[in-house]
Amino acid sequence: MATRPNGLDRFYSVIPAGGIGSRLWPLSRADAPKFLHDLTGSGKTLLRATWERLEPLTGPDRIMVVTGRAHRAAVEAQLPELTDRNVVLESEPKDSSAAIGLAAAILHHREPDVIIGSFAADHVIGDVRGFHRAVGEAVVAAEEGYIATIGITPTEPAIGFGYIHCNGNLGIAGAPGAVGADRFVEKPDLEVAKRYLADGNYLWNAGMFISRADRLLEQLGHSQPELLEGLTELAEAWDTDRRGAVVDRVWPRLAKIAIDYTVAEPAAAAGRLAVVPGSFDWDDIGDFAAIAKLHSGGRKSDLAILGEGARVLSDASSGVVISQSGRLISLIGVTDIVVVDTPDALLVTTSANAQRVKAVVDALKVSGRGDIL
Amino acid sequence: MATRPNGLDRFYSVIPAGGIGSRLWPLSRADAPKFLHDLTGSGKTLLRATWERLEPLTGPDRIMVVTGRAHRAAVEAQLPELTDRNVVLESEPKDSSAAIGLAAAILHHREPDVIIGSFAADHVIGDVRGFHRAVGEAVVAAEEGYIATIGITPTEPAIGFGYIHCNGNLGIAGAPGAVGADRFVEKPDLEVAKRYLADGNYLWNAGMFISRADRLLEQLGHSQPELLEGLTELAEAWDTDRRGAVVDRVWPRLAKIAIDYTVAEPAAAAGRLAVVPGSFDWDDIGDFAAIAKLHSGGRKSDLAILGEGARVLSDASSGVVISQSGRLISLIGVTDIVVVDTPDALLVTTSANAQRVKAVVDALKVSGRGDIL
């Protein structure tokens, strides 16, 4: 692109495609995680949509996917353009510090001045141009040495997202929106969320991190030196015939911790975090209430129906039906209902209870019925 | 039995086992009607329980079952004691006047002074001894020439049952409870049902009819002379090699009408109906709300689970789950819910909407999806 900022030439997208999405059970499963589903009705899986959103920024050759070994075939089927060189397989899940950190270490080893941007495989973004604009600014901030993130301007007092508290504009040329941030806050309750919305200085944490790879690794090393050491060893062996042996030895011993704690929060505390506000529609579709909302356009009276060949007969009902079984589903007089119908498990709940699904999944684990997860 | 009234020696039970039970779709189907299900959790189908309730009154050789050709094998599997002589197969459903009338005509032809009692195959009765006592009185009233029925003393202002308005005691020796009745009323609304309950002279119509066969046929002939003619022709041919030919010719042309209109109401209007009040627990389990109530013992907070090998995980939920698919069913925060999970159809509704299920079934018929019924 003619208007592409310089930094974008050094930019590499990383898609960590992991996480089961427990709150979306029984749709999302260990063997069919959230990112392999079409939750928007677009006809594309969330992973495919993520790829197509990133591809205009970097081209098909500069997108790396980090995923579990079990998902390799499904990921490659979704992304035929993905080259072997751009696939990083985890032998076991190690959370986002290891996943994104390994991608950063490999790419840094191959290309020392690379700028990476990490974008979850299972988020939904409405305005792709707005997203591209924000990433462009974040890349500029990253060139300046910041760990950059994109914060979403809240449209409601959401309790399902974390927030970032922002302060003054950083005055970065080419990144006019970039502001500083001093702290991250976990999902608040409704009263606090309302205060955040009114305050105006809180943005939703969309979990997108854009940074020079060397800066990200350096930041990681401050809090997790052993993890950095392991990732560096892996990266040095990655493109050699020693890869397998080093992975087998090093990966199982890596710390399992979210990148928010190892990179984002420490960077914010140290004044090295830049936030580019984005006002585009974004959702991490964290639970079934989010799916219902996505499809109803906010109208409480609607019944959203997802699933190929879904056969639903509805009378005075609203909410969302996700059909994977091909069975006839009949709803009578149930409102704000959530019905997820899969071949071996059925969930019936309501939007208001959507966040409680994870507890049921945990109960299944404890009761030895993990086969159904 | 030593204490058996004389009339019981002439008594023959008739079980009309027909009707799909549309309000119990998708549990009850054309090929698996209500009477073939265990809705009480007793381990017995309703049909089997009906048989076992009647057998002490008449012995196994004096119970006749009228059912559809399609159900013959299932009925015989449930009732191994049933002899060929006691099976009447309908080539197509013709409602209760033809079904019970044919049984009466056949039995009358075989045994002119027989007293028959007709009892639906799909009702639930709690106190069997109370039921036997009431039938005993009804048989005495039948000997006296009455069309007798058993009226259930209401325990609540039910809107799902029809009522019988009773008047004075008939003074029949051996049937001290038997009263006269002047009219039948269809399912009332709640206000009217409350008045009936307070009035004290209204009993629930349990659809049980006990009568000399000749009296029942005579009463039927007053309102439906052609139907009586057809039934008589069938009965005369029944135990001969002409049965098949006569059935093929006569049965399809018989009037399709409920026995309430052809026998019970005219008998009441003519002062020839006797009602024996029964204070035993009785339910026709007309819809899923009735099933929920049956299993919760009236406690709103309970979740009733029916179905062999049902696997249900429930959190803050109440109502009824009927599982026929073997799938794991998870309920979260849904109250008074009705979930019926079968291999090819799923119903989600609430107890309050249970009566609307029939409308959905009708919609399926109209939309050409009768395959699922």
Side-chain angles (χ1 to χ4, degrees):
Chain A
M1 282 186 274
T3 57
R4 181 186 278 190
N6 280 343
L8 273 180
D9 297 328
R10 292 154 51 194
F11 187 58
Y12 221 104
S13 293
V14 174
I15 305 177
I20 295 174
S22 293
R23 286 183 184 80
L24 293 179
W25 179 88
L27 176 68
S28 191
R29 304 284 186 102
D31 61 354
K34 185 178 155 196
F35 61 83
L36 291 176
H37 292 279
D38 167 18
L39 299 184
T40 65
S42 68
K44 292 172 189 165
T45 64
L46 295 177
L47 174 63
R48 180 71 212 172
T50 301
W51 176 279
E52 293 185 3
R53 193 158 57 235
L54 294 170
E55 206 254 342
L57 289 172
T58 59
D61 298 328
R62 293 177 70 85
I63 307 178
M64 176 171 271
V65 177
V66 186
T67 194
R69 281 186 186 164
H71 303 311
R72 177 180 198 158
V75 166
E76 291 180 346
Q78 285 299 311
L79 310 176
E81 309 95 324
L82 183 66
T83 59
D84 279 354
R85 198 174 151 80
N86 278 331
V87 178
V88 174
L89 297 177
E90 301 169 297
S91 52
E92 57 181 297
K94 280 291 183 184
D95 216 325
S96 51
S97 293
I100 299 169
L102 178 58
I106 293 169
L107 292 172
H108 175 58
H109 191 258
R110 289 179 186 164
E111 189 177 319
D113 67 347
V114 70
I115 294 171
I116 68 161
S118 165
F119 306 96
D122 53 9
H123 291 183
V124 169
I125 288 174
D127 170 16
V128 175
R129 295 178 68 174
F131 168 71
H132 287 170
R133 264 196 308 274
V135 174
E137 287 200 42
V139 168
V140 172
E143 280 193 291
E144 295 293 320
Y146 287 97
I147 308 283
T149 189
I150 295 170
I152 311 296
T153 308
T155 52
E156 55 175 341
I159 59 168
F161 305 140
Y163 287 72
I164 312 170
H165 182 249
C166 302
N167 42 44
N169 192 290
L170 294 171
I172 303 171
V179 293
D182 51 10
R183 63 189 177 97
F184 284 74
V185 283
E186 304 272 352
K187 299 175 184 179
D189 63 29
L190 187 61
E191 281 313 300
V192 173
K194 283 179 179 170
R195 258 200 293 123
Y196 289 174
L197 183 65
D199 180 289
N201 286 316
Y202 288 87
L203 301 179
W204 288 336
N205 175 13
M208 305 173 186
F209 298 107
I210 298 97
S211 168
R212 290 178 53 110
D214 56 6
R215 288 286 304 108
L216 184 138
L217 292 167
E218 184 194 330
Q219 188 70 56
L220 181 64
H222 289 324
S223 57
Q224 294 280 331
E226 285 182 31
L227 178 55
L228 177 61
E229 200 178 314
L231 295 174
T232 305
E233 191 176 355
L234 282 162
E236 282 166 0
W238 199 259
D239 293 326
T240 74
D241 54 13
R242 293 183 298 115
R243 185 202 291 186
V246 175
V247 164
D248 289 349
R249 179 168 50 80
V250 173
W251 188 259
R253 292 186 301 193
L254 295 183
K256 199 167 174 174
I257 182 168
I259 198 163
D260 305 74
Y261 307 130
T262 61
V263 173
E265 293 182 9
R272 305 175 77 169
L273 191 90
V275 185
V276 176
S279 56
F280 48 85
D281 283 344
W282 163 88
D283 203 312
D284 68 355
I285 325 187
D287 61 26
F288 290 114
I291 295 180
K293 192 171 147 242
L294 192 70
H295 288 267
S296 70
R299 288 183 303 280
K300 278 280 202 183
S301 60
D302 279 19
L303 181 71
I305 298 169
L306 276 89
E308 246 179 281
R311 298 194 301 157
V312 177
L313 198 65
S314 159
D315 177 22
S317 298
S318 65
V320 61
V321 173
I322 302 178
S323 163
Q324 293 199 312
S325 73
R327 299 188 310 162
L328 179 74
I329 299 173
S330 177
L331 306 182
I332 305 176
V334 282
T335 49
D336 279 321
I337 200 84
V338 172
V339 174
V340 185
D341 185 46
T342 78
D344 61 354
L346 167 69
L347 172 69
V348 179
T349 184
T350 64
S351 286
N353 286 282
Q355 285 281 322
R356 295 170 73 172
V357 173
K358 191 174 180 300
V360 167
V361 170
D362 292 343
L364 284 169
K365 271 182 205 152
V366 169
S367 67
R369 283 187 280 187
D371 58 302
I372 205 86
L373 300 177
Chain B
M1 284 187 272
T3 59
R4 181 184 277 186
N6 280 341
L8 272 180
D9 297 327
R10 291 154 53 194
F11 187 57
Y12 221 105
S13 292
V14 174
I15 305 177
I20 295 173
S22 293
R23 286 184 183 80
L24 293 179
W25 178 89
L27 175 69
S28 190
R29 305 282 187 104
D31 61 354
K34 186 179 155 196
F35 61 82
L36 291 176
H37 293 279
D38 168 17
L39 300 184
T40 65
S42 68
K44 292 171 191 164
T45 63
L46 295 178
L47 174 62
R48 180 72 211 171
T50 301
W51 175 279
E52 294 185 1
R53 194 158 55 234
L54 293 170
E55 206 254 344
L57 289 173
T58 59
D61 298 329
R62 293 177 70 85
I63 306 178
M64 178 172 268
V65 177
V66 185
T67 194
R69 280 185 188 166
H71 303 312
R72 177 181 197 155
V75 165
E76 290 180 346
Q78 286 298 311
L79 310 176
E81 307 95 323
L82 184 66
T83 58
D84 279 356
R85 197 173 151 82
N86 277 330
V87 178
V88 173
L89 297 176
E90 301 169 295
S91 52
E92 58 181 295
K94 281 290 182 182
D95 216 324
S96 51
S97 293
I100 298 169
L102 178 58
I106 292 169
L107 292 172
H108 174 58
H109 192 258
R110 290 178 186 166
E111 190 178 319
D113 67 346
V114 71
I115 295 171
I116 68 162
S118 164
F119 306 96
D122 54 9
H123 291 182
V124 169
I125 289 174
D127 170 15
V128 175
R129 294 179 66 174
F131 168 70
H132 287 171
R133 262 196 309 275
V135 174
E137 286 199 43
V139 168
V140 172
E143 280 194 291
E144 296 292 319
Y146 288 97
I147 307 284
T149 189
I150 296 171
I152 311 295
T153 307
T155 53
E156 56 175 340
I159 58 170
F161 304 139
Y163 288 71
I164 312 171
H165 182 251
C166 302
N167 41 42
N169 191 290
L170 294 171
I172 303 171
V179 293
D182 50 11
R183 64 189 176 94
F184 285 73
V185 283
E186 304 272 353
K187 298 176 183 179
D189 64 29
L190 187 61
E191 281 314 299
V192 173
K194 283 179 178 169
R195 257 199 294 124
Y196 288 175
L197 184 64
D199 180 288
N201 286 314
Y202 288 86
L203 301 178
W204 289 335
N205 176 13
M208 305 172 188
F209 297 108
I210 297 96
S211 168
R212 291 176 54 110
D214 55 6
R215 288 287 303 109
L216 185 139
L217 292 167
E218 184 194 328
Q219 188 72 55
L220 181 65
H222 289 324
S223 58
Q224 295 279 331
E226 283 181 32
L227 178 53
L228 177 62
E229 200 178 317
L231 295 174
T232 305
E233 191 175 355
L234 283 162
E236 282 165 0
W238 199 258
D239 293 326
T240 74
D241 55 11
R242 292 181 298 116
R243 184 201 293 186
V246 175
V247 165
D248 289 350
R249 179 167 50 78
V250 174
W251 188 259
R253 290 185 302 193
L254 295 183
K256 201 168 177 174
I257 182 168
I259 197 163
D260 305 72
Y261 308 130
T262 60
V263 173
E265 293 183 9
R272 306 177 75 168
L273 191 90
V275 185
V276 176
S279 56
F280 48 84
D281 285 343
W282 164 88
D283 203 313
D284 68 354
I285 324 186
D287 60 27
F288 290 114
I291 295 179
K293 192 170 148 244
L294 192 68
H295 288 267
S296 70
R299 290 183 301 279
K300 278 282 203 182
S301 59
D302 279 20
L303 182 70
I305 298 170
L306 276 90
E308 247 179 282
R311 299 192 300 157
V312 177
L313 200 66
S314 160
D315 178 20
S317 298
S318 64
V320 61
V321 173
I322 301 177
S323 163
Q324 294 200 310
S325 73
R327 300 188 310 163
L328 180 74
I329 300 173
S330 178
L331 306 182
I332 305 176
V334 282
T335 49
D336 280 321
I337 201 83
V338 172
V339 174
V340 185
D341 186 46
T342 78
D344 61 353
L346 168 69
L347 171 70
V348 180
T349 185
T350 64
S351 285
N353 286 280
Q355 284 282 322
R356 294 168 73 172
V357 173
K358 191 173 181 302
V360 168
V361 169
D362 292 343
L364 284 167
K365 272 182 206 155
V366 169
S367 67
R369 284 187 281 186
D371 59 303
I372 205 84
L373 299 180

